[in-house]
Amino acid sequence: ALARESVPSVREGGTEALGHFDSPEVVSALMLALEDGARQGRINAIEALGCTGSTNATMPIILAAKTDPRSSIRSAAVGALGMLCDPRAVPTLEGFVRIGVHAGEAAWSLGHIGDPSAVPALARAFDDKAAKDDRFEVAFALEEIGDTNAVAALDAAMAKGKDNDRFASACALAILGDRRGLPGLTNGVLEDWMKLAVCMSVARWDT
C-alpha cells in the first residue's frame, strides 16, 4: 500500500514510521520504498532500514551508497551501513574514507561496526590529504573499535594537525589503555589543557 501511495509526503512519513518496527514484512516494504525516486522518500527508506538493523538491507544500501548521484542519499546510505553493523560493509566504507568523500560518516560507521580489519584503512587516513577534514571522526572510530594496533597511528597524529584532531587522537590513545602510547601523552606534544583532559583516562591504567 505504501509503494502505491501517490502523495510523496504520505509515502515519506509512512516510510519513516516503519523504521520503528523490525520484522521481515517491514524490511520488505522498506526495500520496495528504496525504489522511490523522490529524494526524501529514498533517504527515509535508507534511514529506516538502518534502524531495523536487518542485514538483509546491507547490499541494497551499499548499492545506494556507491551509485546514487545525489550526495544527500549517498551520505544517508553511508550512515545507515554503520547502524546495520554488518562487516560486509567495511570495504565500501573504507573506500569512502580513502577518497575523502563522506569520510566522516564512513569513519563513524566503521567505528560503530567495530571490525578490527578497518584499523589499517583508518590509520592511513591520518596521512591522507583526502581525509584531512575528517581526522577527528577517524580518531574516535579507532577508539570505538578499541584495537591497540591503532596506537602507532594515533601517537603520530598527536604531533600534527588541528587542535581538535590532536585532542581526539589523545583521547582515543588514552582510552585504548596501551602503555606504548604513554610517552606521546606525556612528552610535551600536547598543550596543558589536552593533558588535563586525558589524564583521567590514563589514571585508569593498571600500574
Side-chain angles (χ1 to χ4, degrees):
L2 184 62
R4 294 192 298 272
E5 173 58 54
S6 61
V7 181
S9 61
V10 175
R11 290 201 309 273
E12 292 162 11
T15 299
E16 187 175 6
L18 284 176
H20 298 288
F21 300 93
D22 180 12
S23 72
E25 293 80 9
V26 166
V27 172
S28 295
L30 289 171
M31 299 274 257
L32 285 175
L34 272 178
E35 301 173 8
D36 194 329
R39 183 187 67 87
Q40 193 57 51
R42 193 159 162 80
I43 288 174
N44 287 351
I46 289 168
E47 292 177 345
L49 281 167
C51 289
T52 68
S54 173
T55 55
N56 289 331
T58 299
M59 300 314 294
I61 293 179
I62 285 176
L63 183 64
K66 287 182 171 181
T67 64
D68 198 290
R70 293 161 289 190
S71 176
S72 57
I73 292 176
R74 296 196 306 273
S75 177
V78 168
L81 289 172
M83 296 172 69
L84 293 176
C85 294
D86 188 338
R88 290 179 296 169
V90 167
T92 297
L93 294 169
E94 288 176 338
F96 280 105
V97 172
R98 184 173 60 254
I99 65 176
V101 177
H102 307 302
E105 296 98 321
W108 177 87
S109 288
L110 287 169
H112 203 252
I113 291 170
D115 190 331
S117 70
V119 168
L122 288 166
R124 286 193 295 271
F126 286 118
D127 294 316
D128 193 340
K129 291 182 179 179
K132 64 182 177 64
D133 295 326
D134 302 288
R135 289 170 182 159
F136 185 92
E137 290 83 358
V138 167
F140 277 109
L142 288 168
E143 172 192 317
E144 194 165 4
I145 292 172
D147 191 312
T148 56
N149 287 324
V151 167
L154 290 166
D155 191 44
M158 284 193 299
K160 56 190 175 184
K162 298 178 291 187
D163 278 357
N164 280 348
D165 300 340
R166 293 166 58 218
F167 178 54
S169 300
C171 288
L173 193 59
I175 289 171
L176 285 178
D178 190 305
R179 288 196 169 275
R180 291 174 296 170
L182 188 57
L185 291 169
T186 58
N187 68 2
V189 171
L190 298 177
E191 285 79 3
D192 288 342
W193 69 272
M194 292 187 183
K195 289 181 182 177
L196 182 62
V198 301
C199 71
M200 290 185 293
S201 293
V202 174
R204 296 188 299 106
W205 297 6
D206 293 334
T207 56

